[in-house]
Amino acid sequence: MTVIMIICQVLLVITSLLLIGTVLLHKGKGGGISDMFGGGISTSMRSSGVAERNLNRITIGVALIWFVVIVLIGLLTKFGA
């Protein structure tokens, strides 16, 4: 069981970092903190609607994997002992 737990924890760290990265790459919908970190440079790079749609799909996929890993770690912690 410890090997599965270690694999799940490593997968959790990787998916957490990917989830943070993909959320930060999304286009801001207005003023606030999202405009503070990109300025005008990032707005020209994120102008494509197809890229935003693909980023949405990637974010949802990573979030689903993250959720499954969280549930699996919880089940392994509860019933694995």
Side-chain angles (χ1 to χ4, degrees), residues 20-63:
I20 291 169
T22 55
V23 167
L24 288 176
L25 283 174
H26 279 281
K27 186 160 87 169
K29 299 288 182 192
I33 295 178
S34 62
D35 286 342
M36 195 184 319
F37 291 116
I41 297 171
S42 64
T43 56
S44 64
M45 294 179 357
R46 297 182 301 192
S47 61
S48 174
V50 175
E52 186 71 22
R53 225 172 330 166
N54 288 335
L55 187 60
N56 286 340
R57 291 178 185 147
I58 292 169
T59 304
I60 291 170
V62 171

Side-chain angles (χ1 to χ4, degrees), residues 10-22 62 66 70:
V10 168
L11 192 60
L12 179 66
V13 170
I14 291 170
T15 55
S16 296
L17 292 174
L18 283 173
L19 193 58
I20 291 169
T22 55
V62 171
W66 181 84
I70 289 287

